[in-house]
Amino acid sequence: LFHTPPLHTHTHPAPVLFSRCPVGSPGQAGTPPTPPLVAGRARERTMPRAKKLKRKQSQKQKGVQKKSNKKKKQDEVKKEIKEYDPKDKTKPIPLEYELWAEKKGASLNVIHPCKIFQRRPRTDVTEVPQGEHGWEYYIHYDGEDRRMDQWVPYTQLRFTGPKKKTDKKEDDHHDHHDDVTRVRNVHEIQIGEYIMPTWYFAPFPVEYSKFSKLLFCEFCLDYFGNKSDLARHSRKCRWTHPPGNEIYRSKETNINVAMFEVDGKKEEKYTQNVCYIAKLFLEHKTLSYNTHPFLFYILCEVTPRGCVMVGYFSKEKFSEHNYNLACICTLPCHQKKGFGKFLISMSYELSKIEGRTGSPETPISDLGLKAYNSYWKSKLIQVLSERKEPVTINEICKITSMTMENVTQTLKALDILHYDNREGHHISIPESMIKLYREKKARLEAIRDTVYVRPVDPKKLRWFPFHAHEMYKRDRKKGET
């Protein structure tokens, strides 16, 4: 009764894109179809280029949009600063506003110029009384390092003060910070029994942004926001030392120290946690989540519970620029005990075993540069005081593993590199400088009351270069095959 139409009722044939017959024999029966290789290759060639062009155009549009948004924001800030009335306490002070603040010192308070970076409601009261100012401000002191930035109440700010001495280099030096990274997100950390105020921003995961204080396990360096989480972890954690090879152990004045070499490729999580801690105290550290190219040397205090980290330095496994140190950090609670010079001397002792000269990677922080200058000066005075015969700069480089640039720079700083028309450049160190160096060394060795760590003793070092391990593995594989 009912006519059912066929399933395929197309009246027009589908368009043919590629010929199924070989060239020279159109319509020949029994010939296999040729695949569309030419057209397919052309498509493969053109598509990536089109994608690149689209990507570039979108990036340009995003860049223009970012610049326009940044300019709009700057214009809004300037307008807000221009319209602000300091006499009106009900309104908050605009961001980027320049004024003065009472900088509290140990014995004297100083009025210092500053700039406002961030603001927040007052944390000392739940409800602000009528007529009082209801904001706190995160300020940066002009010409000071960012570790001095802090939150201050409104009563500590001044709208008049001494004449400002702006340093353009210092301002340009801090321009690389954006609105997020220039404000500290973590205010304190606790490792074991030590509680340390932080200095800089560190990009911890988003879920930890609500905690102003982070708690670290003193052995595996896992971090937590609550004490209960740390206590639960401590009951399960079985670590007693860093996950690496112990290469040095020594008994120093009132302390026992040990050094461990940790491979960033094998222990990725542990080394990333070390980098998180270092970023809180180093402004110029670039936090790389790929720790595979680096070796970490963890300096520990040996306690009855285990080996607890007090500082570290890292270096590249294969450095193109002959850097023997990439990053160095001593925890603030363990500073001024000789750990910094110990880490620096360890990096140079490793360079001596490798048979090459080395230098730290730049830029160096102000405290790091101070420690390096002190080490370089004491090392050169030690070498020159022990050598009775004349010594050249190349010989000093071989003895100390310092680069020629660092040696000449330190000799000039000590004012013992002189030039004569007859002899040319020559080194002459006065006896008074050698005498002061020996007196200081004797005074440090006589310390018995406080903790002090001397530089590395090469006789106690047990270490082989990383490339030597790789060559040994390669030779062993060849022998097995």
Side-chain angles (χ1 to χ4, degrees), residues 419-460:
Y419 179 77
D420 192 358
N421 291 330
R422 295 180 180 179
E423 301 178 359
H425 286 92
H426 63 279
I427 302 169
S428 61
I429 181 169
E431 289 294 332
S432 58
M433 188 178 291
I434 297 174
K435 185 179 179 182
L436 287 173
Y437 165 75
R438 288 173 177 170
E439 288 177 355
K440 184 180 179 180
K441 186 178 179 181
R443 189 167 60 252
L444 291 174
E445 289 179 352
I447 293 175
R448 293 291 180 269
D449 300 333
T450 59
V451 174
Y452 180 74
V453 179
R454 291 179 289 274
V456 174
D457 185 2
K459 298 177 183 178
K460 299 178 182 178

Side-chain angles (χ1 to χ4, degrees), residues 208-240:
Y208 293 92
S209 59
K210 60 183 178 181
F211 300 108
S212 61
K213 179 181 178 181
L214 291 182
L215 312 170
F216 285 80
C217 174
E218 56 185 346
F219 297 113
C220 69
L221 300 183
D222 282 349
Y223 47 90
F224 306 91
N226 299 315
K227 290 183 178 179
S228 58
D229 296 338
L230 177 63
R232 190 183 306 111
H233 168 81
S234 299
R235 289 193 294 268
K236 299 178 181 178
C237 185
R238 295 291 178 265
W239 289 31
T240 56

Side-chain angles (χ1 to χ4, degrees), residues 50 103 119 136 164 229 245 283 315 339 341 407:
K103 190 177 180 182
R119 65 190 176 206
E136 294 176 344
K164 296 182 180 180
D229 296 338
N245 299 324
E283 182 179 12
K315 62 180 292 187
F339 290 122
K341 282 189 178 180
V407 171

Side-chain angles (χ1 to χ4, degrees), residues 129-140:
Q130 190 175 3
E132 292 188 8
H133 196 75
W135 301 84
E136 294 176 344
Y137 299 93
Y138 189 84
I139 61 172
H140 167 67

Side-chain angles (χ1 to χ4, degrees), residues 49 106 142 171 210 216 265 337 400 432 460 463 472 481:
R49 189 175 179 183
D142 293 351
D171 295 338
K210 60 183 178 181
F216 285 80
K265 185 177 181 180
K337 297 178 182 178
T400 61
S432 58
K460 299 178 182 178
W463 182 80
Y472 173 73
T481 55

